Amino acid sequence: NDNINEIMENPQYRDVWKNDAILAEGMQSMSDDWATIKAEVKRLNDAMTPDEVILIHNAVDMNTVLANEKAERLLAVISARRHAIFNDTKSLALGSIIAFVLLMLLASLVYYKKVVSPVAKASDAARRFVAGDRGARFRDGGGALGVLGAELNNMAEAFDRSLRLKDFECAG
């Protein structure tokens, strides 16, 4: 309050207060508020008895206990939310892993049906044909392996005709 009053009374700032009424009023209001606060603090200091000190101390202790309880409840809520997020993340990760494994199994099954199985059947047909089974043929199917099977069947037919023609020439 004294410092504000000194500034308000300082001749250097008189022109500022005259030219800016809002600033002057604000400074005066601050000075009045500080004076009121000083008077209240003095009145409280003068009025305090040992019983009042104990009551204020107990109130402070009670407020401290209540603040601690609120903090513990807040920490419990934060911890529960953190665990829920962790469990959700863990479940999501586990679900993603299971979905990935199932997708890989499905892709493997499709790969087996579309590639491995036709190649194994073609290999079996080729072995039988080489072993003398002239009726052994490759299965026609779709895609590149189907085209390959058809071409191998054409080759087997041509080879079979060639062998029949040779057998016919030898017999006749």
Side-chain angles (χ1 to χ4, degrees):
N1 185 28
D2 292 335
N3 291 338
I4 295 174
N5 284 335
E6 287 175 18
I7 293 171
M8 295 288 291
E9 294 170 3
N10 189 328
Q12 282 181 305
Y13 300 111
R14 277 198 183 125
D15 288 339
V16 173
W17 311 137
K18 285 181 187 175
N19 294 331
D20 193 343
I22 295 175
L23 182 59
E25 187 179 323
M27 288 296 286
Q28 185 60 50
S29 177
M30 283 182 18
S31 177
D32 294 344
D33 289 346
W34 274 109
T36 304
I37 290 170
K38 277 182 153 180
E40 289 295 322
V41 168
K42 185 176 183 332
R43 192 173 67 80
L44 286 173
N45 286 338
D46 292 344
M48 288 196 169
T49 64
D51 289 337
E52 289 174 320
V53 170
I54 290 172
L55 287 173
I56 292 170
H57 184 271
N58 288 342
V60 169
D61 285 348
M62 178 72 81
N63 287 328
T64 303
V65 168
L66 292 174
N68 282 335
E69 287 175 358
K70 288 177 185 176
E72 287 174 3
R73 282 194 303 266
L74 181 62
L75 286 174
V77 168
I78 291 169
S79 179
R81 287 185 181 166
R82 187 183 64 203
H83 282 98
I85 290 170
F86 175 75
N87 288 335
D88 289 348
T89 304
K90 188 170 65 171
S91 296
L92 183 62
L94 184 59
S96 296
I97 290 169
I98 290 170
F100 179 74
V101 168
L102 290 175
L103 182 64
M104 289 298 105
L105 286 173
L106 181 64
S108 297
L109 180 64
V110 169
Y111 178 76
Y112 177 79
K113 284 194 166 270
K114 296 285 184 181
V115 177
V116 175
S117 180
V119 168
K121 289 176 183 175
S123 177
D124 183 50
R127 263 191 241 107
R128 286 193 341 256
F129 190 81
V130 168
D133 181 1
R134 290 185 180 178
R137 294 292 180 262
F138 303 94
R139 285 182 125 179
D140 292 344
L145 289 176
V147 172
L148 176 63
E151 292 299 320
L152 289 174
N153 284 338
N154 290 340
M155 183 183 72
E157 288 291 332
F159 188 70
D160 192 35
R161 277 192 303 266
S162 171
L163 285 177
R164 275 191 255 134
L165 185 59
K166 188 174 178 185
D167 287 345
F168 182 70
E169 288 176 0
C170 287

Short mmCIF file of all heavy atoms in Angstrom, two decimals, residues 46-103:
data_model
loop_
_atom_site.label_atom_id
_atom_site.label_comp_id
_atom_site.label_asym_id
_atom_site.label_seq_id
_atom_site.Cartn_x
_atom_site.Cartn_y
_atom_site.Cartn_z
N ASP A 46 -4.71 -9.86 15.90
CA ASP A 46 -5.09 -9.35 17.22
C ASP A 46 -6.17 -10.22 17.86
O ASP A 46 -6.23 -10.35 19.08
CB ASP A 46 -5.60 -7.91 17.13
CG ASP A 46 -4.48 -6.94 16.77
OD1 ASP A 46 -3.30 -7.34 16.89
OD2 ASP A 46 -4.79 -5.82 16.33
N ALA A 47 -7.04 -10.80 17.05
CA ALA A 47 -8.20 -11.53 17.58
C ALA A 47 -7.89 -12.98 17.91
O ALA A 47 -8.69 -13.64 18.55
CB ALA A 47 -9.35 -11.47 16.57
N MET A 48 -6.79 -13.52 17.54
CA MET A 48 -6.53 -14.96 17.70
C MET A 48 -6.18 -15.29 19.13
O MET A 48 -5.29 -14.70 19.73
CB MET A 48 -5.40 -15.42 16.77
CG MET A 48 -5.80 -15.49 15.34
SD MET A 48 -4.57 -16.47 14.50
CE MET A 48 -5.37 -16.71 12.97
N THR A 49 -6.90 -16.29 19.64
CA THR A 49 -6.63 -16.84 20.96
C THR A 49 -6.06 -18.24 20.74
O THR A 49 -6.15 -18.78 19.63
CB THR A 49 -7.93 -16.93 21.79
OG1 THR A 49 -8.81 -17.86 21.16
CG2 THR A 49 -8.58 -15.57 21.94
N PRO A 50 -5.52 -18.85 21.77
CA PRO A 50 -5.01 -20.22 21.59
C PRO A 50 -6.09 -21.19 21.10
O PRO A 50 -5.81 -22.09 20.30
CB PRO A 50 -4.50 -20.59 22.98
CG PRO A 50 -4.15 -19.29 23.62
CD PRO A 50 -5.14 -18.31 23.07
N ASP A 51 -7.31 -21.01 21.54
CA ASP A 51 -8.39 -21.88 21.07
C ASP A 51 -8.64 -21.69 19.58
O ASP A 51 -8.87 -22.65 18.84
CB ASP A 51 -9.69 -21.61 21.84
CG ASP A 51 -9.61 -22.09 23.29
OD1 ASP A 51 -8.78 -22.99 23.57
OD2 ASP A 51 -10.39 -21.57 24.12
N GLU A 52 -8.60 -20.44 19.12
CA GLU A 52 -8.80 -20.17 17.69
C GLU A 52 -7.65 -20.76 16.87
O GLU A 52 -7.87 -21.28 15.79
CB GLU A 52 -8.91 -18.66 17.44
CG GLU A 52 -10.20 -18.06 17.95
CD GLU A 52 -10.20 -16.54 17.82
OE1 GLU A 52 -9.15 -15.92 18.09
OE2 GLU A 52 -11.25 -16.02 17.44
N VAL A 53 -6.42 -20.68 17.40
CA VAL A 53 -5.27 -21.28 16.70
C VAL A 53 -5.46 -22.78 16.55
O VAL A 53 -5.22 -23.35 15.49
CB VAL A 53 -3.95 -20.95 17.44
CG1 VAL A 53 -2.80 -21.74 16.87
CG2 VAL A 53 -3.67 -19.46 17.40
N ILE A 54 -5.92 -23.44 17.61
CA ILE A 54 -6.16 -24.89 17.56
C ILE A 54 -7.25 -25.20 16.54
O ILE A 54 -7.12 -26.14 15.74
CB ILE A 54 -6.52 -25.43 18.97
CG1 ILE A 54 -5.30 -25.39 19.88
CG2 ILE A 54 -7.07 -26.85 18.87
CD1 ILE A 54 -5.59 -25.72 21.32
N LEU A 55 -8.32 -24.41 16.54
CA LEU A 55 -9.40 -24.64 15.57
C LEU A 55 -8.90 -24.47 14.14
O LEU A 55 -9.22 -25.27 13.26
CB LEU A 55 -10.58 -23.69 15.84
CG LEU A 55 -11.43 -24.00 17.06
CD1 LEU A 55 -12.45 -22.89 17.29
CD2 LEU A 55 -12.14 -25.34 16.88
N ILE A 56 -8.11 -23.42 13.91
CA ILE A 56 -7.57 -23.21 12.55
C ILE A 56 -6.62 -24.34 12.18
O ILE A 56 -6.64 -24.85 11.06
CB ILE A 56 -6.88 -21.83 12.46
CG1 ILE A 56 -7.94 -20.73 12.57
CG2 ILE A 56 -6.10 -21.70 11.17
CD1 ILE A 56 -7.37 -19.34 12.72
N HIS A 57 -5.78 -24.76 13.14
CA HIS A 57 -4.85 -25.87 12.90
C HIS A 57 -5.62 -27.14 12.55
O HIS A 57 -5.28 -27.87 11.62
CB HIS A 57 -3.96 -26.08 14.12
CG HIS A 57 -2.92 -27.13 13.93
ND1 HIS A 57 -3.15 -28.46 14.21
CD2 HIS A 57 -1.65 -27.05 13.45
CE1 HIS A 57 -2.07 -29.15 13.94
NE2 HIS A 57 -1.14 -28.33 13.48
N ASN A 58 -6.67 -27.43 13.32
CA ASN A 58 -7.50 -28.62 13.04
C ASN A 58 -8.17 -28.53 11.67
O ASN A 58 -8.27 -29.51 10.94
CB ASN A 58 -8.55 -28.81 14.13
CG ASN A 58 -7.94 -29.28 15.43
OD1 ASN A 58 -6.81 -29.78 15.45
ND2 ASN A 58 -8.66 -29.11 16.52
N ALA A 59 -8.62 -27.32 11.32
CA ALA A 59 -9.24 -27.14 10.00
C ALA A 59 -8.23 -27.39 8.89
O ALA A 59 -8.53 -28.02 7.87
CB ALA A 59 -9.84 -25.74 9.88
N VAL A 60 -7.00 -26.89 9.11
CA VAL A 60 -5.94 -27.13 8.11
C VAL A 60 -5.65 -28.62 8.01
O VAL A 60 -5.52 -29.17 6.90
CB VAL A 60 -4.67 -26.32 8.46
CG1 VAL A 60 -3.49 -26.75 7.60
CG2 VAL A 60 -4.94 -24.83 8.30
N ASP A 61 -5.54 -29.29 9.15
CA ASP A 61 -5.31 -30.75 9.14
C ASP A 61 -6.43 -31.48 8.41
O ASP A 61 -6.19 -32.39 7.61
CB ASP A 61 -5.18 -31.29 10.57
CG ASP A 61 -3.85 -30.94 11.20
OD1 ASP A 61 -2.95 -30.48 10.47
OD2 ASP A 61 -3.71 -31.14 12.43
N MET A 62 -7.67 -31.11 8.70
CA MET A 62 -8.83 -31.75 8.06
C MET A 62 -8.79 -31.54 6.55
O MET A 62 -9.00 -32.47 5.78
CB MET A 62 -10.13 -31.19 8.64
CG MET A 62 -11.37 -31.75 8.00
SD MET A 62 -11.67 -33.45 8.46
CE MET A 62 -12.42 -33.19 10.03
N ASN A 63 -8.48 -30.32 6.17
CA ASN A 63 -8.40 -30.04 4.72
C ASN A 63 -7.26 -30.80 4.07
O ASN A 63 -7.38 -31.26 2.93
CB ASN A 63 -8.25 -28.53 4.47
CG ASN A 63 -9.54 -27.78 4.73
OD1 ASN A 63 -10.62 -28.32 4.52
ND2 ASN A 63 -9.43 -26.54 5.18
N THR A 64 -6.16 -30.98 4.79
CA THR A 64 -5.04 -31.77 4.27
C THR A 64 -5.44 -33.23 4.09
O THR A 64 -5.15 -33.85 3.07
CB THR A 64 -3.82 -31.66 5.21
OG1 THR A 64 -3.48 -30.29 5.36
CG2 THR A 64 -2.65 -32.44 4.68
N VAL A 65 -6.14 -33.78 5.10
CA VAL A 65 -6.60 -35.17 5.01
C VAL A 65 -7.57 -35.33 3.83
O VAL A 65 -7.47 -36.27 3.04
CB VAL A 65 -7.26 -35.62 6.34
CG1 VAL A 65 -8.01 -36.93 6.17
CG2 VAL A 65 -6.20 -35.74 7.42
N LEU A 66 -8.51 -34.41 3.71
CA LEU A 66 -9.48 -34.47 2.61
C LEU A 66 -8.77 -34.36 1.25
O LEU A 66 -9.11 -35.07 0.30
CB LEU A 66 -10.54 -33.38 2.75
CG LEU A 66 -11.50 -33.53 3.93
CD1 LEU A 66 -12.40 -32.31 4.05
CD2 LEU A 66 -12.33 -34.80 3.79
N ALA A 67 -7.78 -33.49 1.16
CA ALA A 67 -7.04 -33.34 -0.10
C ALA A 67 -6.29 -34.62 -0.43
O ALA A 67 -6.24 -35.05 -1.59
CB ALA A 67 -6.07 -32.16 0.01
N ASN A 68 -5.70 -35.27 0.60
CA ASN A 68 -5.01 -36.54 0.37
C ASN A 68 -5.97 -37.62 -0.11
O ASN A 68 -5.65 -38.41 -1.00
CB ASN A 68 -4.27 -37.00 1.62
CG ASN A 68 -2.98 -36.26 1.84
OD1 ASN A 68 -2.39 -35.76 0.90
ND2 ASN A 68 -2.55 -36.17 3.08
N GLU A 69 -7.15 -37.68 0.53
CA GLU A 69 -8.14 -38.67 0.11
C GLU A 69 -8.58 -38.43 -1.33
O GLU A 69 -8.71 -39.38 -2.12
CB GLU A 69 -9.35 -38.64 1.04
CG GLU A 69 -9.08 -39.24 2.40
CD GLU A 69 -10.27 -39.10 3.36
OE1 GLU A 69 -11.30 -38.50 2.96
OE2 GLU A 69 -10.16 -39.60 4.48
N LYS A 70 -8.79 -37.18 -1.69
CA LYS A 70 -9.17 -36.85 -3.07
C LYS A 70 -8.05 -37.25 -4.03
O LYS A 70 -8.30 -37.78 -5.11
CB LYS A 70 -9.48 -35.36 -3.21
CG LYS A 70 -10.78 -34.95 -2.56
CD LYS A 70 -10.99 -33.44 -2.67
CE LYS A 70 -12.23 -33.00 -1.93
NZ LYS A 70 -12.40 -31.55 -1.94
N ALA A 71 -6.81 -36.98 -3.63
CA ALA A 71 -5.67 -37.34 -4.48
C ALA A 71 -5.58 -38.85 -4.66
O ALA A 71 -5.32 -39.34 -5.76
CB ALA A 71 -4.37 -36.79 -3.89
N GLU A 72 -5.80 -39.60 -3.56
CA GLU A 72 -5.76 -41.07 -3.66
C GLU A 72 -6.87 -41.60 -4.56
O GLU A 72 -6.65 -42.52 -5.35
CB GLU A 72 -5.85 -41.69 -2.26
CG GLU A 72 -4.58 -41.52 -1.45
CD GLU A 72 -4.72 -42.00 -0.02
OE1 GLU A 72 -5.79 -42.54 0.35
OE2 GLU A 72 -3.75 -41.84 0.73
N ARG A 73 -8.08 -41.01 -4.44
CA ARG A 73 -9.18 -41.44 -5.32
C ARG A 73 -8.85 -41.12 -6.77
O ARG A 73 -9.11 -41.92 -7.66
CB ARG A 73 -10.48 -40.76 -4.90
CG ARG A 73 -11.13 -41.40 -3.68
CD ARG A 73 -12.58 -40.94 -3.50
NE ARG A 73 -12.73 -39.50 -3.37
CZ ARG A 73 -12.78 -38.84 -2.23
NH1 ARG A 73 -12.69 -39.50 -1.08
NH2 ARG A 73 -12.94 -37.52 -2.21
N LEU A 74 -8.27 -39.96 -7.00
CA LEU A 74 -7.89 -39.58 -8.36
C LEU A 74 -6.83 -40.53 -8.91
O LEU A 74 -6.91 -40.97 -10.06
CB LEU A 74 -7.39 -38.13 -8.37
CG LEU A 74 -6.97 -37.57 -9.73
CD1 LEU A 74 -8.16 -37.57 -10.68
CD2 LEU A 74 -6.42 -36.17 -9.58
N LEU A 75 -5.85 -40.86 -8.09
CA LEU A 75 -4.82 -41.81 -8.52
C LEU A 75 -5.41 -43.19 -8.81
O LEU A 75 -5.01 -43.87 -9.75
CB LEU A 75 -3.71 -41.92 -7.47
CG LEU A 75 -2.77 -40.73 -7.39
CD1 LEU A 75 -1.81 -40.89 -6.21
CD2 LEU A 75 -2.01 -40.54 -8.67
N ALA A 76 -6.39 -43.61 -7.99
CA ALA A 76 -7.04 -44.90 -8.23
C ALA A 76 -7.79 -44.89 -9.56
O ALA A 76 -7.75 -45.85 -10.32
CB ALA A 76 -8.00 -45.24 -7.08
N VAL A 77 -8.47 -43.80 -9.85
CA VAL A 77 -9.19 -43.68 -11.13
C VAL A 77 -8.21 -43.69 -12.29
O VAL A 77 -8.41 -44.38 -13.29
CB VAL A 77 -10.05 -42.39 -11.14
CG1 VAL A 77 -10.57 -42.08 -12.53
CG2 VAL A 77 -11.20 -42.52 -10.17
N ILE A 78 -7.11 -42.94 -12.15
CA ILE A 78 -6.10 -42.91 -13.20
C ILE A 78 -5.50 -44.30 -13.40
O ILE A 78 -5.32 -44.76 -14.53
CB ILE A 78 -4.99 -41.87 -12.87
CG1 ILE A 78 -5.57 -40.47 -12.97
CG2 ILE A 78 -3.79 -42.04 -13.78
CD1 ILE A 78 -4.65 -39.39 -12.42
N SER A 79 -5.21 -44.99 -12.30
CA SER A 79 -4.65 -46.34 -12.39
C SER A 79 -5.62 -47.31 -13.05
O SER A 79 -5.23 -48.12 -13.89
CB SER A 79 -4.28 -46.84 -10.99
OG SER A 79 -3.75 -48.13 -11.05
N ALA A 80 -6.90 -47.21 -12.68
CA ALA A 80 -7.91 -48.10 -13.29
C ALA A 80 -8.03 -47.83 -14.79
O ALA A 80 -8.12 -48.77 -15.59
CB ALA A 80 -9.26 -47.90 -12.61
N ARG A 81 -8.01 -46.57 -15.16
CA ARG A 81 -8.08 -46.23 -16.60
C ARG A 81 -6.85 -46.72 -17.33
O ARG A 81 -6.93 -47.20 -18.45
CB ARG A 81 -8.26 -44.73 -16.78
CG ARG A 81 -9.65 -44.28 -16.41
CD ARG A 81 -9.86 -42.83 -16.68
NE ARG A 81 -11.21 -42.43 -16.28
CZ ARG A 81 -11.59 -41.19 -16.15
NH1 ARG A 81 -10.73 -40.21 -16.39
NH2 ARG A 81 -12.81 -40.91 -15.78
N ARG A 82 -5.68 -46.58 -16.69
CA ARG A 82 -4.44 -47.05 -17.32
C ARG A 82 -4.49 -48.57 -17.52
O ARG A 82 -4.13 -49.07 -18.58
CB ARG A 82 -3.24 -46.66 -16.46
CG ARG A 82 -1.91 -46.98 -17.13
CD ARG A 82 -0.75 -46.65 -16.25
NE ARG A 82 -0.83 -47.54 -15.08
CZ ARG A 82 -0.29 -47.28 -13.93
NH1 ARG A 82 0.36 -46.19 -13.73
NH2 ARG A 82 -0.40 -48.14 -12.93
N HIS A 83 -4.99 -49.29 -16.50
CA HIS A 83 -5.10 -50.75 -16.63
C HIS A 83 -6.12 -51.12 -17.71
O HIS A 83 -5.90 -52.08 -18.46
CB HIS A 83 -5.48 -51.38 -15.29
CG HIS A 83 -4.33 -51.51 -14.36
ND1 HIS A 83 -4.11 -50.60 -13.36
CD2 HIS A 83 -3.32 -52.42 -14.28
CE1 HIS A 83 -3.02 -50.94 -12.70
NE2 HIS A 83 -2.52 -52.03 -13.23
N ALA A 84 -7.21 -50.39 -17.79
CA ALA A 84 -8.22 -50.66 -18.82
C ALA A 84 -7.64 -50.43 -20.21
O ALA A 84 -7.85 -51.25 -21.12
CB ALA A 84 -9.45 -49.78 -18.60
N ILE A 85 -6.89 -49.36 -20.36
CA ILE A 85 -6.25 -49.09 -21.66
C ILE A 85 -5.24 -50.18 -21.98
O ILE A 85 -5.16 -50.67 -23.11
CB ILE A 85 -5.60 -47.69 -21.67
CG1 ILE A 85 -6.69 -46.62 -21.66
CG2 ILE A 85 -4.68 -47.52 -22.87
CD1 ILE A 85 -6.17 -45.22 -21.41
N PHE A 86 -4.45 -50.60 -20.98
CA PHE A 86 -3.48 -51.66 -21.19
C PHE A 86 -4.17 -52.96 -21.60
O PHE A 86 -3.74 -53.63 -22.53
CB PHE A 86 -2.65 -51.88 -19.92
CG PHE A 86 -1.70 -53.04 -20.02
CD1 PHE A 86 -0.54 -52.94 -20.77
CD2 PHE A 86 -1.97 -54.23 -19.37
CE1 PHE A 86 0.33 -54.01 -20.88
CE2 PHE A 86 -1.11 -55.31 -19.47
CZ PHE A 86 0.05 -55.20 -20.22
N ASN A 87 -5.26 -53.30 -20.89
CA ASN A 87 -5.99 -54.52 -21.22
C ASN A 87 -6.61 -54.44 -22.61
O ASN A 87 -6.60 -55.42 -23.36
CB ASN A 87 -7.05 -54.82 -20.17
CG ASN A 87 -6.44 -55.30 -18.87
OD1 ASN A 87 -5.33 -55.84 -18.84
ND2 ASN A 87 -7.15 -55.09 -17.78
N ASP A 88 -7.15 -53.28 -22.95
CA ASP A 88 -7.71 -53.11 -24.29
C ASP A 88 -6.63 -53.25 -25.36
O ASP A 88 -6.83 -53.90 -26.38
CB ASP A 88 -8.38 -51.73 -24.44
CG ASP A 88 -9.67 -51.63 -23.65
OD1 ASP A 88 -10.18 -52.68 -23.18
OD2 ASP A 88 -10.17 -50.50 -23.50
N THR A 89 -5.47 -52.65 -25.09
CA THR A 89 -4.35 -52.75 -26.04
C THR A 89 -3.87 -54.18 -26.15
O THR A 89 -3.59 -54.67 -27.25
CB THR A 89 -3.21 -51.82 -25.59
OG1 THR A 89 -3.71 -50.50 -25.46
CG2 THR A 89 -2.06 -51.84 -26.57
N LYS A 90 -3.78 -54.86 -25.01
CA LYS A 90 -3.35 -56.26 -25.01
C LYS A 90 -4.34 -57.13 -25.79
O LYS A 90 -3.94 -57.97 -26.60
CB LYS A 90 -3.21 -56.75 -23.57
CG LYS A 90 -2.58 -58.12 -23.45
CD LYS A 90 -2.24 -58.46 -21.99
CE LYS A 90 -3.48 -58.57 -21.14
NZ LYS A 90 -3.22 -59.08 -19.79
N SER A 91 -5.64 -56.91 -25.56
CA SER A 91 -6.67 -57.66 -26.28
C SER A 91 -6.60 -57.37 -27.78
O SER A 91 -6.73 -58.28 -28.60
CB SER A 91 -8.05 -57.31 -25.75
OG SER A 91 -8.18 -57.70 -24.41
N LEU A 92 -6.41 -56.10 -28.12
CA LEU A 92 -6.31 -55.72 -29.53
C LEU A 92 -5.08 -56.37 -30.17
O LEU A 92 -5.17 -56.89 -31.29
CB LEU A 92 -6.24 -54.20 -29.65
CG LEU A 92 -6.20 -53.64 -31.07
CD1 LEU A 92 -7.47 -54.02 -31.83
CD2 LEU A 92 -6.06 -52.12 -31.02
N ALA A 93 -3.97 -56.37 -29.47
CA ALA A 93 -2.75 -57.00 -30.00
C ALA A 93 -2.94 -58.51 -30.17
O ALA A 93 -2.57 -59.07 -31.20
CB ALA A 93 -1.56 -56.71 -29.09
N LEU A 94 -3.54 -59.14 -29.17
CA LEU A 94 -3.80 -60.58 -29.26
C LEU A 94 -4.75 -60.89 -30.40
O LEU A 94 -4.53 -61.82 -31.17
CB LEU A 94 -4.35 -61.09 -27.93
CG LEU A 94 -4.57 -62.59 -27.82
CD1 LEU A 94 -3.27 -63.35 -28.03
CD2 LEU A 94 -5.16 -62.94 -26.46
N GLY A 95 -5.80 -60.08 -30.54
CA GLY A 95 -6.75 -60.27 -31.64
C GLY A 95 -6.08 -60.08 -32.99
O GLY A 95 -6.35 -60.82 -33.94
N SER A 96 -5.18 -59.11 -33.07
CA SER A 96 -4.45 -58.87 -34.32
C SER A 96 -3.54 -60.05 -34.65
O SER A 96 -3.45 -60.47 -35.81
CB SER A 96 -3.61 -57.60 -34.21
OG SER A 96 -4.44 -56.48 -34.04
N ILE A 97 -2.89 -60.60 -33.65
CA ILE A 97 -2.01 -61.75 -33.87
C ILE A 97 -2.83 -62.95 -34.33
O ILE A 97 -2.45 -63.65 -35.28
CB ILE A 97 -1.19 -62.06 -32.60
CG1 ILE A 97 -0.17 -60.97 -32.36
CG2 ILE A 97 -0.52 -63.43 -32.71
CD1 ILE A 97 0.51 -61.04 -31.00
N ILE A 98 -3.97 -63.20 -33.67
CA ILE A 98 -4.83 -64.32 -34.06
C ILE A 98 -5.34 -64.13 -35.48
O ILE A 98 -5.33 -65.07 -36.29
CB ILE A 98 -5.98 -64.49 -33.05
CG1 ILE A 98 -5.43 -65.01 -31.72
CG2 ILE A 98 -7.05 -65.43 -33.59
CD1 ILE A 98 -6.44 -64.99 -30.59
N ALA A 99 -5.78 -62.90 -35.80
CA ALA A 99 -6.27 -62.62 -37.16
C ALA A 99 -5.15 -62.82 -38.19
O ALA A 99 -5.39 -63.38 -39.27
CB ALA A 99 -6.81 -61.19 -37.25
N PHE A 100 -3.94 -62.40 -37.85
CA PHE A 100 -2.81 -62.58 -38.77
C PHE A 100 -2.51 -64.06 -38.99
O PHE A 100 -2.29 -64.49 -40.12
CB PHE A 100 -1.57 -61.87 -38.21
CG PHE A 100 -0.35 -62.02 -39.07
CD1 PHE A 100 -0.23 -61.32 -40.25
CD2 PHE A 100 0.68 -62.87 -38.69
CE1 PHE A 100 0.88 -61.46 -41.06
CE2 PHE A 100 1.79 -63.02 -39.48
CZ PHE A 100 1.90 -62.31 -40.67
N VAL A 101 -2.51 -64.84 -37.90
CA VAL A 101 -2.26 -66.28 -38.03
C VAL A 101 -3.34 -66.94 -38.87
O VAL A 101 -3.04 -67.76 -39.75
CB VAL A 101 -2.15 -66.94 -36.63
CG1 VAL A 101 -2.18 -68.44 -36.71
CG2 VAL A 101 -0.87 -66.47 -35.92
N LEU A 102 -4.60 -66.58 -38.63
CA LEU A 102 -5.69 -67.15 -39.43
C LEU A 102 -5.57 -66.75 -40.89
O LEU A 102 -5.80 -67.57 -41.79
CB LEU A 102 -7.05 -66.73 -38.86
CG LEU A 102 -7.43 -67.34 -37.52
CD1 LEU A 102 -8.73 -66.75 -37.01
CD2 LEU A 102 -7.52 -68.86 -37.61
N LEU A 103 -5.21 -65.50 -41.13
CA LEU A 103 -5.02 -65.04 -42.51
C LEU A 103 -3.88 -65.80 -43.18
O LEU A 103 -4.00 -66.20 -44.34
CB LEU A 103 -4.74 -63.53 -42.52
CG LEU A 103 -4.57 -62.89 -43.89
CD1 LEU A 103 -5.87 -62.99 -44.68
CD2 LEU A 103 -4.15 -61.44 -43.74
#
